[in-house]
Amino acid sequence: MKTSICIISVTAILLASSTNAFVVPLARPYHPPSLITTATTASADTATVALQMSENDEDSDLTTTTTTTTKKETTWDRITGPKLFKTVTNWNGIHSVPLVPLRIMTGLLMIHHGSEGGLGPANFGTPEFQGFIDYIVKPYFGFLPGPPELWSALHDYVEFGGGILFALGFLTRPASLALLGTMMSAVYFHLSSVGLQGFPLGHVSNYSYDFEEPMLYSLIFLMFWFNGAGPLSIDSIIYNTISQEEEEE
């Protein structure tokens, strides 16, 4: 009896062992490494796109807010704002408007300087013209070759004819250069005769230095020599015609 019980026990133990051998434990599904990498990259790309879309939305909102809050610049803002300190680099359009009265008035004022002793230039035999020769040309410009009457007449013709050309804006650059020469000569004469007169703080009887007027004229002619006549001038009409013809060719 005992032997039978032992045989049954051994048999039960062997059956249990064989049954456990065939039981397969549950395992997690297998994923290849390439599939895992692809999934990770796709998730990162999705997050990046979402972040960029969020940033674009924020920029769009910021631009809209800036556009709606921008105030239109007024004339007062241009006078008192940052443009108060801005230097104009292009003298076209409205910036060239002040050149017109400056050029015309300077030319008209220059005409009478070249008509001493009469309505026209070089009035030989008149006291005014002869006084210009005796008291200015001879003592201060005696180093120039040729007779002083020639230089006196040339001075008058340059200021009279040059003033007309300058006012009309015709051959403005050559006229400006010639007038600049006469005005610098006048500056030299006044500095040679009376000096600086205490410039810049000195006071004189006629309230202006003798070289003051020709110096200002010189600077005006220098500016127009560099920049040309400006608008409302014969030079501008000629240039526009020539430039159009060149474009058509």
Side-chain angles (χ1 to χ4, degrees):
M1 185 67 179
K2 293 183 179 178
T3 305
S4 301
I5 293 172
C6 291
I7 294 172
I8 293 171
S9 299
V10 171
T11 303
I13 292 171
L14 292 174
L15 289 174
S17 299
S18 61
T19 303
N20 291 337
F22 290 98
V23 174
V24 179
L26 294 178
R28 290 188 298 175
Y30 173 74
H31 297 288
S34 59
L35 183 60
I36 297 174
T37 304
T38 304
T40 305
T41 306
S43 301
D45 292 342
T46 304
T48 303
V49 171
L51 180 60
Q52 290 178 350
M53 292 177 64
S54 176
E55 292 178 351
N56 291 337
D57 292 340
E58 292 178 0
D59 294 340
S60 178
D61 295 339
L62 181 60
T63 303
T64 304
T65 304
T66 305
T67 304
T68 55
T69 57
T70 300
K71 182 181 178 182
K72 184 178 180 181
E73 187 180 39
T74 63
T75 303
W76 181 251
D77 294 333
R78 295 176 182 177
I79 296 174
T80 60
K83 289 187 177 180
L84 176 66
F85 307 97
K86 181 181 178 181
T87 300
V88 176
T89 57
N90 189 352
W91 283 35
N92 291 328
I94 193 173
H95 300 295
S96 63
V97 172
L99 299 178
V100 178
L102 178 63
R103 190 196 73 240
I104 294 175
M105 290 305 300
T106 302
L108 295 177
L109 291 172
M110 186 55 52
I111 293 174
H112 83 278
H113 286 283
S115 57
E116 290 143 341
L119 294 177
N123 296 286
F124 288 93
T126 60
E128 292 82 2
F129 187 76
Q130 191 61 41
F132 182 79
I133 295 173
D134 295 335
Y135 298 107
I136 296 178
V137 178
K138 286 183 177 179
Y140 294 98
F141 297 93
F143 56 87
L144 295 173
E149 292 80 7
L150 173 64
W151 292 104
S152 300
L154 180 62
H155 160 271
D156 282 7
Y157 278 110
V158 168
E159 292 186 345
F160 188 86
I164 295 175
L165 294 175
F166 192 82
L168 295 175
F170 179 55
L171 298 176
T172 306
R173 280 194 169 92
S176 299
L177 183 59
L179 291 168
L180 174 62
T182 61
M183 289 299 101
M184 291 304 298
S185 299
V187 171
Y188 163 76
F189 158 70
H190 289 296
L191 292 178
S192 299
S193 59
V194 296
L196 290 174
Q197 298 176 289
F199 170 82
L201 299 177
H203 298 278
V204 292
S205 57
N206 59 351
Y207 298 101
S208 62
Y209 304 113
D210 289 351
F211 71 91
E212 183 176 323
E213 181 181 333
M215 177 62 74
L216 291 175
Y217 274 121
S218 299
L219 296 176
I220 294 173
F221 294 136
L222 180 65
M223 183 188 68
F224 278 94
W225 180 40
F226 273 94
N227 297 319
L232 296 180
S233 62
I234 299 176
D235 284 351
S236 63
I237 297 174
I238 295 174
Y239 177 76
N240 291 334
T241 304
I242 295 174
S243 61
Q244 291 175 2
E245 290 177 355
E246 289 179 352
E247 291 176 359
E248 291 177 358
E249 293 177 359

